Amino acid sequence: DGGITQSPKYLFRKEGQNVTLSCEQNLNHDAMYWYRQDPGQGLRLIYYSQIVNDFQKGDIAEGYSVSREKKESFPLTVTSAQKNPTAFYLCASSITGFEKLFFGSGTQLSVL
Amino acid sequence: GQQVMQIPQYQHVQEGEDFTTYCNSSTTLSNIQWYKQRPGGHPVFLIQLVKSGEVKKQKRLTFQFGEAKKNSSLHITATQTTDVGTYFCAGPITGNQFYFGTGTSLTVIP
C-alpha cells in the first residue's frame, strides 16, 4: 500500500532534549516537505527537499534540522533551540514539487 | 510574513446552506490547490487549478481561479455534515515552496 508514514503519532519532549520525527514514503516522490500546524495558524513550512542530499529552509526553520540521505526518508529533528515545539507536525511529498501534496497522518509533539 | 490569506477564518452554517471561502495571494501563482482537513486528520488534496479564470466542479463543490491568478474561491452548495473540516488553499510562491493559506474552519449545524 503506497503512502507516507509518520512516526510516532505522539511524542513528548523534555526540556533541553532533541527529538526526531520520522517520515518515510514509498511513492517514489522526489520532493518532500515538513510543515508545522498550530491552531488557527494553518500550515507553516519548516523545510523542504527536492532531491536527495539537498534541502532548503522554509519560513520557520530555526530550531529544526533535517537530512535527506535517501529518497524515501526525510526525518525532522526538533532541537533544544526550538523553545516552543508543541505543535502538530505534518510531512508531505509530491512527485517533483509542483504537483499535489500527499500528507502523512502527522505527529503531535508536546513538551513535558 | 503570510503570503496567502484566507477568509473567513471560521464559518458556521446550518445544514443545507451554502458556504464560500476566499483565498488571496500577494503574488501571482502558477497554480493553486485546495485541501480539506477533517478534525483530527491530515490535509487531503481536493483539486488543482492552473489556468486564469478556470472554474472546476466536483459535485457540490465549485472552485474558481481568478483572472490575475492571485485569488481563488471554493463554494459549497447545500452543505452537509460530511463537509465539516478546515479548507486550505495552497500555492507555490517561490521555487517549490508551497505556501498554505490560514484555512477556513467549517462547522455544519444539523
Side-chain angles (χ1 to χ4, degrees), chain B residues 2-71:
Chain B
Q2 188 68 41
Q3 300 187 55
V4 181
M5 302 299 295
Q6 260 183 275
I7 55 170
Q9 189 173 1
Y10 302 97
Q11 185 80 59
H12 292 71
V13 299
Q14 289 287 143
E15 189 172 14
E17 291 183 339
D18 292 356
F19 159 78
T20 305
T21 173
Y22 300 91
C23 178
N24 291 287
S25 168
S26 56
T27 60
T28 301
L29 300 170
S30 59
N31 70 78
I32 196 157
Q33 300 175 5
W34 284 91
Y35 293 79
K36 177 183 179 179
Q37 184 176 24
R38 293 182 186 275
H42 58 274
V44 174
F45 173 83
L46 292 176
I47 207 161
Q48 176 174 286
L49 304 171
V50 179
K51 299 176 185 176
S52 169
E54 188 170 13
V55 177
K56 285 189 176 180
K57 291 191 176 184
Q58 287 180 350
K59 297 183 180 178
R60 295 178 293 104
L61 278 61
T62 302
F63 303 85
Q64 288 189 308
F65 200 8
E67 294 291 339
K69 301 182 79 171
K70 285 188 173 184
N71 57 73

Side-chain angles (χ1 to χ4, degrees), chain A residues 4 6 37 43 88 90-91 101-106, chain B residues 35-45 86 88:
Chain A
I4 301 182
Q6 286 188 245
Q37 186 171 29
L43 280 69
F88 189 51
L90 286 158
C91 178
L101 299 180
F102 291 80
F103 282 86
S105 54
Chain B
Y35 293 79
K36 177 183 179 179
Q37 184 176 24
R38 293 182 186 275
H42 58 274
V44 174
F45 173 83
T86 301
F88 294 98

